[in-house]
Amino acid sequence: ILLFLFIHLVSVFKDEGEIGIQVVASVFSVPVFVYSLASAMTLVTNFVADTFFGNRFLRGSGLGIVFTEWIAFIFYLGVPLLAFIVTLFMGKPNWWEVSLLTWFASVLTFWCFFSACVFYFEIAHCLKIERDRQGEKGTTEQMGWRDKTRYWLEKAKDATKCTTRIRLSGKETKYKKQKGEEKPEYGDKHNRCPVGLCSLLTMKLSCYKQFDEEEQKKEILSLGEVLGFTTYVTRYSWSLDKLFCRNKRQTSSIFLTSGDARVDGHQIKSSIACRIIGNVLICLLVVGSFVWMSGNKINPTGGVLFALLLVVVLAYVAYNTVYLKEILKDTTDQSETTWTRFWEVRRINEPSDRFVWFCVVAEILLFYLWPLISLSVQQNTQSAVLFAVLGLFSFTRHYLNGAILLRAYEHDFFSKVIPYSAEGASDEDIKRSKKSWEKKSRMYNMLRIGNATRYFWIVVFCMCVFFFVSIVFLYVGSMDMDGFTSNTTTLVEGYAYERNPNLPYPTCVLRVIENDLLDGDLVGYAFIANLAYTEPAEDQASLNSWFGDDVARVNDTLVEQFRETYNFEVWGMSENSPVSYKLVQSVIDPTYVMITIRGTATPLDVMADAQLWLSALLFQGVRAVLPVGDAFTPILHHLVKVVHWMETEAIAKVAYYQETRQFALFLKNEGYNVRVTGHSLGGGLALITGAQAKVSAVGFSAPNAKLSRDTFVGKFGAPFPVSIHDLDTYTFNVVPDRDPVPFIDDKARLYQRMNCTASANDIAGCHTLVRTICELQYTCGSKGASDYRPVPCECVLEFGYPPPKPMNLTDTNSSLEFEDECKAKYPCKWGNATEKENEGC
């Protein structure tokens, strides 16, 4: 969802050429999307947990235990099992797929029901807390429905004002120690961030009422304290992991520093040492991971940055252990009276009513209405609809938040419970006691469900946003970059690798058609795939070096003819598609052509990668962590298609495969024998193009298309679907070991696993196409059908393969000759410093 939003912004920016007001408005929708999606994922995780523990939230929500159990049975087992039985009676060959889809739809419906219950009880309890806070309990019993509606709308208004006021209030954190039930003492010397920057700003604003006296300052409990999750640290409950691994709960922990159960000095000293040692080890782990991934090499700049990082972390740790030093001092008190040490968050001021309502209106206008209108104007209908629904629910939960009211006002909400049964209590008291317990039980479960894990998901989605924003800025800053490079391979003639005499790869030769340009050599496909990255001015020299003079050429004329004459708008395509491809044509047989598509070379290419395959990758991850996850494979392509509902027409216009598919069909209709190849993103596009145009395609380190096959369509979802039969018939993928890219999406039937000589800590080494060329030549031999192909210098000088033999010699002691030949022919790349200086490199 976030990805498609940013791709849409890029496509709009690409058409307009500037950052307009609509783009800025769409950016304002990101915070609402992040918060809404984090809330939705929180409900998902808690739905799973609640199901695991027997639907305790729904059982205690007033629906009744019997009703809840029947609902769970119907959705989890009844409906899916019925679908399973019906498909068996009907003799459906895809009975398992239909049954899984039915089960998934049933669980999704049950989750929607669960989320609706959470939403309803959150709002209802918030309004009731606001009513009780104002002392108006029982005032609606004699009202009609219209009066009740007006009354609860008024309570919603008051709750919105109250929650917003609490959020905008300035806050301070005070170190507090208390002896028994006596009045607490507040210390200023060892406060941990007593007042934040935002709170300092509120102290200067005239629209804020300041609380100057200590008694006026209002305490705000943590949610854990409201729910009764306060952690007491004593001699017996103390442990290193509680004070190191659970840092978020330290400020709400209560330390007993005197009495029989007090924590002693050795425990506090151990905690201080553990904090320092543990964080240092974490820093070293991060540094070690980067060193390992960089091949045990760190440049001076990286070393300085890591050293600064280590210093900053150590300073932060030292700053955060000050409170432990204060507790260490207090442990010297040997009196029998129990002292407690903890931190308290208090409101030091609050905004006026006018300022509160100004902020509410501003939030709704800037973060909801303006982005919603902008998305609608941009014809981003899918995002607009989703944003409208998610935003409505999120803003409602944001302003009508019972947890905030409880933290600020109802500190004893869970302790103010009428005894269930007490001597002399009337039947009415016992009845009210039961209702009170039920109400607080629902509130207890609702608060846990509504807030747990939300911050985790917010962090996850913020990291995604940071990545996408970085790519967008890189794209804006590199719009003039063409993505081509010079001297992608340095070829030397006169040397050869002989074919492996044992068992070479069975696909060294692909006999697609007789007497084709490549003689069926797989390494020839790899070379032409690599040609897509080469500077156009070097194309013909590279082809002549590989095939010989006047054997093959790059035909730019056909490409330009296609782009000038083809009606792109008919298929909903953009004439300025950023996809890069070349057409290699045989001079001997001009009807034989090969399209070579470039892989990832620009920031926009990274966005294209994510657009096409991120959904499949995420579902692969879900399948990997699920028990017997492979059983869900038959429905994954349906789920990927549902996710791609967010793809707008503007995104489809710049979908790379649209143009390559139409170009292949154009050539096919003109009577050419068409083949397609590519590497990485280009290889994935080649597989899609081959399956859609029904021409042979060979990809190298290419992401696959089996799970994503339903998303590769033309305008209005027709008429170019990709079937498993087409993928199994027309596509072939070369998969180097330890290369993660070709493991994205599920592979079709035809593929070749290949050895990779890169070290284990070279993450991207196995994805290098030139290394694949070297592996193919070393194993399959460098001899084509008619002559030997040149050998890349990279094979020996960069990738460590044994040197090839000179074609006019039989001795094996010739490594220096090959290396010298490489250095002499390409001094700027392989020569020493003196040679590079002499050549003016």
Side-chain angles (χ1 to χ4, degrees):
I1 291 172
L2 294 172
L3 169 69
F4 287 151
L5 176 65
F6 278 97
I7 294 179
H8 180 86
L9 293 179
V10 169
S11 63
V12 172
F13 173 77
K14 190 173 181 294
D15 292 338
E16 297 180 355
E18 60 181 2
I19 301 177
I21 189 171
Q22 292 184 357
V23 175
V24 176
S26 298
V27 171
F28 273 82
S29 69
V30 173
V32 176
F33 268 125
V34 168
Y35 181 83
S36 303
L37 295 173
S39 299
M41 289 305 301
T42 300
L43 290 173
V44 169
T45 53
N46 284 279
F47 171 69
V48 174
D50 191 66
T51 302
F52 182 79
F53 289 107
N55 303 301
R56 61 186 180 186
F57 173 74
L58 293 177
R59 287 163 68 102
S61 62
L63 298 176
I65 297 176
V66 175
F67 178 79
T68 301
E69 290 300 308
W70 272 107
I71 288 291
F73 170 78
I74 290 172
F75 282 110
Y76 282 127
L77 287 176
V79 174
L81 191 58
L82 182 61
F84 177 67
I85 295 171
V86 170
T87 54
L88 289 180
F89 274 105
M90 294 177 64
K92 290 282 187 180
N94 60 338
W95 55 270
W96 181 242
E97 180 179 350
V98 174
S99 301
L100 281 177
L101 283 174
T102 305
W103 175 84
F104 184 83
S106 298
V107 173
L108 183 62
T109 304
F110 195 25
W111 172 76
C112 292
F113 175 73
F114 174 86
S115 301
C117 289
V118 172
F119 178 79
Y120 170 79
F121 285 115
E122 277 186 342
I123 305 307
H125 283 297
C126 178
L127 298 180
K128 291 177 181 178
I129 290 172
E130 180 63 20
R131 177 199 63 186
D132 296 346
R133 189 180 70 84
Q134 297 179 5
E136 299 178 2
K137 187 173 183 179
T139 55
T140 60
E141 295 178 356
Q142 305 300 324
M143 292 183 180
W145 69 269
R146 291 186 178 179
D147 293 334
K148 282 186 178 181
T149 302
R150 284 193 292 267
Y151 176 82
W152 288 120
L153 287 176
E154 186 67 26
K155 295 302 107 180
K157 176 183 174 182
D158 294 341
T160 300
K161 180 176 68 175
C162 190
T163 54
T164 306
R165 174 180 285 122
I166 296 170
R167 285 193 174 99
L168 296 175
S169 296
K171 302 172 183 67
E172 69 174 5
T173 304
K174 283 283 190 177
Y175 179 69
K176 176 180 177 181
K177 60 181 181 179
Q178 188 169 0
K179 183 177 181 179
E181 298 296 329
E182 297 179 5
K183 184 178 179 180
E185 302 175 9
Y186 294 96
D188 294 317
K189 185 177 179 181
H190 298 290
N191 282 341
R192 193 176 70 89
C193 296
V195 180
L197 293 178
C198 293
S199 296
L200 286 175
L201 179 62
T202 63
M203 296 171 67
K204 307 295 182 180
L205 297 178
S206 59
C207 57
Y208 273 75
K209 175 184 176 182
Q210 307 297 328
F211 301 146
D212 298 324
E213 301 295 331
E214 290 290 333
E215 290 76 11
Q216 292 180 317
K217 297 178 181 179
K218 302 174 182 178
E219 182 182 5
I220 300 179
L221 299 182
S222 68
L223 188 59
E225 290 173 310
V226 173
L227 296 176
F229 291 161
T230 304
T231 303
Y232 285 87
V233 182
T234 68
R235 177 194 303 271
Y236 309 106
S237 66
W238 172 92
S239 68
L240 287 177
D241 70 288
K242 287 183 179 178
L243 297 184
F244 175 70
C245 300
R246 307 178 190 177
N247 292 328
K248 285 187 66 175
R249 296 175 61 182
Q250 285 176 2
T251 55
S252 62
S253 298
I254 297 179
F255 288 82
L256 272 64
T257 56
S258 62
D260 293 337
R262 69 181 184 279
V263 290
D264 59 34
H266 295 296
Q267 291 173 320
I268 300 300
K269 291 177 182 178
S270 297
S271 296
I272 295 174
C274 182
R275 288 291 307 279
I276 296 174
I277 295 172
N279 284 278
V280 170
L281 290 176
I282 291 175
C283 290
L284 293 177
L285 176 63
V286 174
V287 174
S289 299
F290 278 100
V291 171
W292 184 83
M293 287 187 291
S294 61
N296 300 326
K297 297 177 182 178
I298 289 187
N299 56 44
T301 304
V304 171
L305 292 177
F306 279 127
L308 290 176
L309 174 65
L310 187 62
V311 171
V312 170
V313 172
L314 290 177
Y316 173 78
V317 173
Y319 182 70
N320 277 274
T321 54
V322 170
Y323 79 99
L324 290 174
K325 291 179 63 179
E326 179 69 13
I327 293 173
L328 180 62
K329 294 178 182 178
D330 293 338
T331 56
T332 57
D333 186 356
Q334 301 297 322
S335 64
E336 294 182 358
T337 305
T338 300
W339 283 77
T340 57
R341 307 292 191 275
F342 52 96
W343 278 260
E344 183 178 272
V345 179
R346 299 188 298 172
R347 289 192 292 144
I348 58 177
N349 54 38
E350 63 181 18
S352 63
D353 289 352
R354 283 189 176 183
F355 186 74
V356 168
W357 287 117
F358 169 79
C359 291
V360 171
V361 173
E363 281 182 347
I364 295 175
L365 289 177
L366 284 177
F367 294 101
Y368 187 66
L369 294 180
W370 186 29
L372 180 60
I373 295 172
S374 175
L375 291 172
S376 302
V377 170
Q378 295 173 23
Q379 296 183 345
N380 192 348
T381 308
Q382 294 90 323
S383 294
V385 171
L386 191 63
F387 179 79
V389 175
L390 291 177
L392 181 62
F393 280 92
S394 296
F395 272 97
T396 304
R397 297 181 69 193
H398 177 72
Y399 290 120
L400 302 181
N401 193 319
I404 292 181
L405 297 180
L406 286 177
R407 290 175 57 197
Y409 298 115
E410 299 289 335
H411 295 172
D412 55 348
F413 180 83
F414 288 100
S415 60
K416 291 190 307 182
V417 180
I418 303 173
Y420 189 86
S421 178
E423 186 176 352
S426 64
D427 294 339
E428 185 65 26
D429 289 337
I430 294 176
K431 184 178 180 180
R432 286 192 297 114
S433 176
K434 289 181 179 180
K435 289 185 177 180
S436 179
W437 276 110
E438 291 173 356
K439 171 186 174 183
K440 288 169 173 54
S441 176
R442 284 195 297 269
M443 174 65 79
Y444 182 87
N445 290 324
M446 183 269 296
L447 288 175
R448 295 187 66 186
I449 287 176
N451 295 276
T453 71
R454 179 184 295 165
Y455 291 108
F456 167 79
W457 288 110
I458 287 177
V459 171
V460 170
F461 289 125
C462 284
M463 292 174 64
C464 296
V465 169
F466 176 78
F467 173 74
F468 296 142
V469 169
S470 301
I471 297 298
V472 170
F473 275 107
L474 286 174
Y475 166 71
V476 173
S478 60
M479 293 187 65
D480 298 330
M481 185 175 70
D482 57 14
F484 296 112
T485 57
S486 179
N487 288 332
T488 55
T489 54
T490 52
L491 302 175
V492 173
E493 300 176 359
Y495 296 83
Y497 282 116
E498 296 297 333
R499 186 181 180 90
N500 188 330
N502 299 315
L503 290 174
Y505 297 117
T507 56
C508 286
V509 178
L510 297 176
R511 288 296 179 189
V512 181
I513 59 175
E514 294 296 330
N515 301 319
D516 64 10
L517 172 65
L518 305 176
D519 301 320
D521 291 339
L522 184 58
V523 67
Y525 278 89
F527 171 79
I528 292 186
N530 190 63
L531 192 71
Y533 295 95
T534 306
E535 287 283 359
E538 301 175 4
D539 288 343
Q540 194 58 50
S542 297
L543 288 172
N544 291 342
S545 176
W546 186 267
F547 294 108
D549 296 339
D550 297 327
V551 175
R553 66 188 182 95
V554 174
N555 191 335
D556 294 326
T557 305
L558 269 177
V559 177
E560 294 300 325
Q561 179 184 344
F562 164 72
R563 286 178 168 168
E564 290 175 1
T565 60
Y566 208 80
N567 190 348
F568 286 85
E569 291 299 324
V570 171
W571 300 106
M573 296 160 51
S574 172
E575 295 184 8
N576 300 317
S577 173
V579 62
S580 174
Y581 56 91
K582 299 175 183 178
L583 183 68
V584 179
Q585 184 178 30
S586 172
V587 176
I588 300 173
D589 180 8
T591 63
Y592 183 89
V593 293
M594 180 175 292
I595 304 171
T596 174
I597 308 172
R598 191 184 68 192
T600 306
T602 66
L604 192 59
D605 293 339
V606 178
M607 298 288 278
D609 283 324
Q611 172 205 355
L612 295 173
W613 288 288
L614 181 60
S615 301
L617 179 62
L618 292 176
F619 280 112
Q620 280 182 293
V622 172
R623 181 179 62 184
V625 300
L626 286 177
V628 294
D630 288 336
F632 294 90
T633 300
I635 68 169
L636 293 187
H637 70 102
H638 294 291
L639 304 183
V640 173
K641 184 178 180 180
V642 170
V643 172
H644 273 260
W645 170 81
M646 285 292 298
E647 185 174 288
T648 64
E649 187 174 342
I651 297 174
K653 283 185 177 182
V654 296
Y656 285 17
Y657 64 87
Q658 300 264 32
E659 183 172 337
T660 58
R661 174 197 65 219
Q662 295 305 128
F663 184 47
L665 290 172
F666 166 79
L667 295 172
K668 191 177 177 182
N669 294 334
E670 293 292 326
Y672 290 96
N673 292 319
V674 185
R675 301 292 177 266
V676 191
T677 189
H679 166 256
S680 189
L681 167 64
L685 295 172
L687 301 184
I688 299 169
T689 301
Q692 289 187 321
K694 294 179 172 51
V695 296
S696 297
V698 179
F700 295 88
S701 297
N704 302 282
K706 202 169 182 179
L707 296 181
S708 308
R709 62 184 184 272
D710 293 336
T711 66
F712 307 130
V713 293
K715 190 177 182 182
F716 310 121
F720 302 105
V722 176
S723 67
I724 293 180
H725 175 267
D726 292 335
L727 291 171
D728 290 341
T729 304
Y730 297 104
T731 67
F732 180 86
N733 196 6
V734 176
V735 183
D737 293 339
R738 301 197 312 279
D739 184 355
V741 175
F743 289 92
I744 297 174
D745 211 316
D746 285 356
K747 294 182 284 293
R749 179 178 297 141
L750 303 178
Y751 63 92
Q752 174 66 63
R753 294 293 299 268
M754 192 161 294
N755 180 44
C756 174
T757 60
S759 60
N761 59 352
D762 189 356
I763 304 300
C766 295
H767 191 63
T768 307
L769 181 56
V770 180
R771 187 189 294 274
T772 302
I773 293 175
C774 293
E775 174 63 24
L776 286 170
Q777 282 200 331
Y778 179 70
T779 306
C780 301
S782 58
K783 187 180 187 302
S786 58
D787 200 357
Y788 282 91
R789 306 302 187 197
V791 178
C793 294
E794 288 82 358
C795 297
V796 177
L797 298 178
E798 185 175 352
F799 304 136
Y801 282 91
K805 293 180 181 180
M807 295 174 59
N808 57 346
L809 296 175
T810 58
D811 64 285
T812 59
N813 189 20
S814 57
S815 61
L816 291 178
E817 294 184 9
F818 181 78
E819 292 180 4
D820 291 342
E821 183 74 19
C822 290
K823 293 176 182 179
K825 190 172 182 179
Y826 305 99
C828 287
K829 184 169 184 178
W830 303 114
N832 55 37
T834 303
E835 292 170 339
K836 291 180 179 180
E837 184 177 354
N838 294 336
E839 292 291 331
C841 302

Tab-separated table of all heavy atoms in Angstrom, residues 664-696:
chain	number	residue	atom	x	y	z
A	664	ALA	N	7.793	-7.067	-28.235
A	664	ALA	CA	7.954	-8.458	-28.671
A	664	ALA	C	6.817	-8.865	-29.608
A	664	ALA	O	7.043	-9.547	-30.631
A	664	ALA	CB	8.011	-9.383	-27.454
A	665	LEU	N	5.592	-8.462	-29.298
A	665	LEU	CA	4.465	-8.792	-30.172
A	665	LEU	C	4.576	-8.065	-31.509
A	665	LEU	O	4.223	-8.612	-32.562
A	665	LEU	CB	3.150	-8.420	-29.473
A	665	LEU	CG	2.766	-9.286	-28.272
A	665	LEU	CD1	1.562	-8.694	-27.552
A	665	LEU	CD2	2.474	-10.719	-28.710
A	666	PHE	N	5.060	-6.833	-31.453
A	666	PHE	CA	5.267	-6.064	-32.687
A	666	PHE	C	6.250	-6.787	-33.605
A	666	PHE	O	6.013	-6.952	-34.813
A	666	PHE	CB	5.774	-4.673	-32.325
A	666	PHE	CG	6.333	-3.893	-33.478
A	666	PHE	CD1	5.492	-3.263	-34.382
A	666	PHE	CD2	7.706	-3.779	-33.662
A	666	PHE	CE1	6.008	-2.540	-35.456
A	666	PHE	CE2	8.240	-3.061	-34.718
A	666	PHE	CZ	7.389	-2.441	-35.621
A	667	LEU	N	7.370	-7.239	-33.049
A	667	LEU	CA	8.366	-7.957	-33.852
A	667	LEU	C	7.821	-9.293	-34.342
A	667	LEU	O	8.056	-9.701	-35.494
A	667	LEU	CB	9.635	-8.182	-33.021
A	667	LEU	CG	10.406	-6.927	-32.601
A	667	LEU	CD1	11.517	-7.305	-31.630
A	667	LEU	CD2	10.991	-6.216	-33.822
A	668	LYS	N	7.098	-9.963	-33.465
A	668	LYS	CA	6.531	-11.267	-33.843
A	668	LYS	C	5.554	-11.125	-35.012
A	668	LYS	O	5.550	-11.943	-35.938
A	668	LYS	CB	5.845	-11.865	-32.611
A	668	LYS	CG	5.439	-13.312	-32.754
A	668	LYS	CD	4.837	-13.808	-31.440
A	668	LYS	CE	4.351	-15.245	-31.570
A	668	LYS	NZ	3.724	-15.722	-30.299
A	669	ASN	N	4.739	-10.074	-34.976
A	669	ASN	CA	3.776	-9.851	-36.052
A	669	ASN	C	4.458	-9.434	-37.357
A	669	ASN	O	3.895	-9.607	-38.438
A	669	ASN	CB	2.762	-8.779	-35.643
A	669	ASN	CG	1.883	-9.229	-34.492
A	669	ASN	OD1	1.673	-10.438	-34.308
A	669	ASN	ND2	1.375	-8.292	-33.713
A	670	GLU	N	5.675	-8.882	-37.239
A	670	GLU	CA	6.428	-8.495	-38.434
A	670	GLU	C	7.187	-9.664	-39.036
A	670	GLU	O	7.890	-9.500	-40.037
A	670	GLU	CB	7.407	-7.367	-38.085
A	670	GLU	CG	6.751	-6.060	-37.712
A	670	GLU	CD	6.047	-5.403	-38.888
A	670	GLU	OE1	6.542	-5.538	-40.025
A	670	GLU	OE2	4.987	-4.781	-38.667
A	671	GLY	N	7.094	-10.846	-38.442
A	671	GLY	CA	7.710	-12.028	-39.007
A	671	GLY	C	9.088	-12.359	-38.464
A	671	GLY	O	9.782	-13.219	-39.025
A	672	TYR	N	9.495	-11.736	-37.379
A	672	TYR	CA	10.813	-12.013	-36.812
A	672	TYR	C	10.751	-13.199	-35.845
A	672	TYR	O	9.706	-13.455	-35.211
A	672	TYR	CB	11.332	-10.787	-36.048
A	672	TYR	CG	11.696	-9.614	-36.932
A	672	TYR	CD1	10.792	-8.584	-37.150
A	672	TYR	CD2	12.942	-9.548	-37.546
A	672	TYR	CE1	11.114	-7.502	-37.959
A	672	TYR	CE2	13.279	-8.471	-38.358
A	672	TYR	CZ	12.353	-7.451	-38.557
A	672	TYR	OH	12.682	-6.394	-39.356
A	673	ASN	N	11.866	-13.939	-35.756
A	673	ASN	CA	12.034	-14.951	-34.708
A	673	ASN	C	12.578	-14.247	-33.464
A	673	ASN	O	13.737	-13.840	-33.450
A	673	ASN	CB	13.008	-16.043	-35.165
A	673	ASN	CG	12.436	-16.881	-36.283
A	673	ASN	OD1	11.256	-17.217	-36.257
A	673	ASN	ND2	13.254	-17.217	-37.279
A	674	VAL	N	11.742	-14.109	-32.462
A	674	VAL	CA	12.059	-13.267	-31.314
A	674	VAL	C	12.503	-14.119	-30.134
A	674	VAL	O	11.891	-15.147	-29.825
A	674	VAL	CB	10.834	-12.407	-30.910
A	674	VAL	CG1	11.207	-11.443	-29.785
A	674	VAL	CG2	10.300	-11.651	-32.115
A	675	ARG	N	13.574	-13.669	-29.475
A	675	ARG	CA	14.016	-14.222	-28.194
A	675	ARG	C	14.208	-13.053	-27.235
A	675	ARG	O	14.493	-11.934	-27.657
A	675	ARG	CB	15.329	-15.005	-28.341
A	675	ARG	CG	15.247	-16.177	-29.322
A	675	ARG	CD	14.337	-17.275	-28.800
A	675	ARG	NE	14.203	-18.365	-29.762
A	675	ARG	CZ	13.226	-18.448	-30.640
A	675	ARG	NH1	12.306	-17.499	-30.715
A	675	ARG	NH2	13.159	-19.480	-31.470
A	676	VAL	N	14.043	-13.313	-25.962
A	676	VAL	CA	14.176	-12.264	-24.955
A	676	VAL	C	15.130	-12.747	-23.874
A	676	VAL	O	15.100	-13.931	-23.484
A	676	VAL	CB	12.809	-11.911	-24.315
A	676	VAL	CG1	12.918	-10.647	-23.475
A	676	VAL	CG2	11.735	-11.751	-25.374
A	677	THR	N	15.966	-11.848	-23.383
A	677	THR	CA	16.863	-12.192	-22.280
A	677	THR	C	17.079	-10.965	-21.414
A	677	THR	O	16.731	-9.834	-21.792
A	677	THR	CB	18.208	-12.734	-22.814
A	677	THR	OG1	18.968	-13.256	-21.722
A	677	THR	CG2	19.020	-11.620	-23.469
A	678	GLY	N	17.659	-11.167	-20.253
A	678	GLY	CA	17.936	-10.064	-19.330
A	678	GLY	C	18.479	-10.603	-18.026
A	678	GLY	O	18.466	-11.815	-17.763
A	679	HIS	N	18.970	-9.687	-17.217
A	679	HIS	CA	19.567	-10.040	-15.927
A	679	HIS	C	18.871	-9.262	-14.828
A	679	HIS	O	18.511	-8.096	-15.000
A	679	HIS	CB	21.073	-9.712	-15.948
A	679	HIS	CG	21.711	-9.710	-14.595
A	679	HIS	ND1	22.034	-8.547	-13.915
A	679	HIS	CD2	22.086	-10.742	-13.791
A	679	HIS	CE1	22.575	-8.858	-12.752
A	679	HIS	NE2	22.623	-10.169	-12.659
A	680	SER	N	18.639	-9.921	-13.679
A	680	SER	CA	18.026	-9.284	-12.507
A	680	SER	C	16.634	-8.780	-12.877
A	680	SER	O	15.797	-9.557	-13.350
A	680	SER	CB	18.940	-8.160	-12.003
A	680	SER	OG	18.499	-7.656	-10.773
A	681	LEU	N	16.370	-7.475	-12.687
A	681	LEU	CA	15.074	-6.930	-13.083
A	681	LEU	C	14.809	-7.201	-14.563
A	681	LEU	O	13.697	-7.573	-14.952
A	681	LEU	CB	15.046	-5.423	-12.812
A	681	LEU	CG	13.905	-4.625	-13.445
A	681	LEU	CD1	12.567	-5.061	-12.876
A	681	LEU	CD2	14.126	-3.130	-13.248
A	682	GLY	N	15.862	-7.032	-15.400
A	682	GLY	CA	15.691	-7.308	-16.825
A	682	GLY	C	15.350	-8.763	-17.088
A	682	GLY	O	14.573	-9.076	-17.996
A	683	GLY	N	15.928	-9.677	-16.295
A	683	GLY	CA	15.589	-11.086	-16.452
A	683	GLY	C	14.160	-11.366	-16.061
A	683	GLY	O	13.456	-12.145	-16.731
A	684	GLY	N	13.692	-10.756	-14.962
A	684	GLY	CA	12.298	-10.924	-14.573
A	684	GLY	C	11.349	-10.396	-15.632
A	684	GLY	O	10.324	-11.021	-15.953
A	685	LEU	N	11.672	-9.215	-16.209
A	685	LEU	CA	10.853	-8.667	-17.288
A	685	LEU	C	10.899	-9.565	-18.517
A	685	LEU	O	9.909	-9.697	-19.249
A	685	LEU	CB	11.341	-7.264	-17.643
A	685	LEU	CG	11.186	-6.201	-16.551
A	685	LEU	CD1	11.878	-4.916	-16.951
A	685	LEU	CD2	9.718	-5.945	-16.250
A	686	ALA	N	12.059	-10.182	-18.762
A	686	ALA	CA	12.160	-11.113	-19.886
A	686	ALA	C	11.237	-12.305	-19.695
A	686	ALA	O	10.557	-12.746	-20.636
A	686	ALA	CB	13.610	-11.571	-20.044
A	687	LEU	N	11.183	-12.848	-18.472
A	687	LEU	CA	10.298	-13.988	-18.216
A	687	LEU	C	8.836	-13.593	-18.406
A	687	LEU	O	8.042	-14.347	-18.985
A	687	LEU	CB	10.531	-14.511	-16.798
A	687	LEU	CG	11.948	-14.987	-16.441
A	687	LEU	CD1	11.974	-15.559	-15.034
A	687	LEU	CD2	12.447	-16.011	-17.444
A	688	ILE	N	8.468	-12.404	-17.911
A	688	ILE	CA	7.080	-11.940	-18.071
A	688	ILE	C	6.763	-11.719	-19.544
A	688	ILE	O	5.714	-12.147	-20.055
A	688	ILE	CB	6.863	-10.643	-17.271
A	688	ILE	CG1	7.108	-10.884	-15.775
A	688	ILE	CG2	5.462	-10.100	-17.494
A	688	ILE	CD1	7.172	-9.612	-14.957
A	689	THR	N	7.696	-11.053	-20.243
A	689	THR	CA	7.487	-10.771	-21.665
A	689	THR	C	7.374	-12.057	-22.470
A	689	THR	O	6.502	-12.197	-23.349
A	689	THR	CB	8.642	-9.912	-22.197
A	689	THR	OG1	8.710	-8.694	-21.451
A	689	THR	CG2	8.459	-9.601	-23.672
A	690	GLY	N	8.268	-13.009	-22.174
A	690	GLY	CA	8.218	-14.275	-22.905
A	690	GLY	C	6.920	-15.015	-22.701
A	690	GLY	O	6.337	-15.561	-23.658
A	691	ALA	N	6.423	-15.038	-21.455
A	691	ALA	CA	5.176	-15.751	-21.175
A	691	ALA	C	3.979	-15.048	-21.802
A	691	ALA	O	3.044	-15.699	-22.291
A	691	ALA	CB	4.991	-15.879	-19.663
A	692	GLN	N	3.980	-13.704	-21.804
A	692	GLN	CA	2.843	-12.974	-22.365
A	692	GLN	C	2.844	-12.992	-23.889
A	692	GLN	O	1.786	-13.142	-24.511
A	692	GLN	CB	2.862	-11.528	-21.864
A	692	GLN	CG	2.508	-11.390	-20.387
A	692	GLN	CD	2.380	-9.936	-19.979
A	692	GLN	OE1	3.144	-9.082	-20.422
A	692	GLN	NE2	1.433	-9.653	-19.093
A	693	ALA	N	4.033	-12.829	-24.488
A	693	ALA	CA	4.107	-12.796	-25.952
A	693	ALA	C	4.297	-14.175	-26.556
A	693	ALA	O	4.296	-14.321	-27.776
A	693	ALA	CB	5.256	-11.882	-26.382
A	694	LYS	N	4.492	-15.163	-25.667
A	694	LYS	CA	4.689	-16.550	-26.109
A	694	LYS	C	5.903	-16.680	-27.035
A	694	LYS	O	5.829	-17.221	-28.140
A	694	LYS	CB	3.425	-17.094	-26.764
A	694	LYS	CG	2.267	-17.231	-25.775
A	694	LYS	CD	1.017	-17.747	-26.424
A	694	LYS	CE	-0.057	-18.054	-25.380
A	694	LYS	NZ	-0.310	-16.949	-24.423
A	695	VAL	N	7.033	-16.156	-26.523
A	695	VAL	CA	8.331	-16.308	-27.177
A	695	VAL	C	9.312	-16.811	-26.128
A	695	VAL	O	9.111	-16.603	-24.925
A	695	VAL	CB	8.824	-14.980	-27.791
A	695	VAL	CG1	7.892	-14.512	-28.893
A	695	VAL	CG2	8.981	-13.907	-26.726
A	696	SER	N	10.389	-17.460	-26.558
A	696	SER	CA	11.355	-18.031	-25.608
A	696	SER	C	12.108	-16.928	-24.889
A	696	SER	O	12.565	-15.952	-25.500
A	696	SER	CB	12.338	-18.936	-26.363
A	696	SER	OG	11.660	-20.021	-26.954
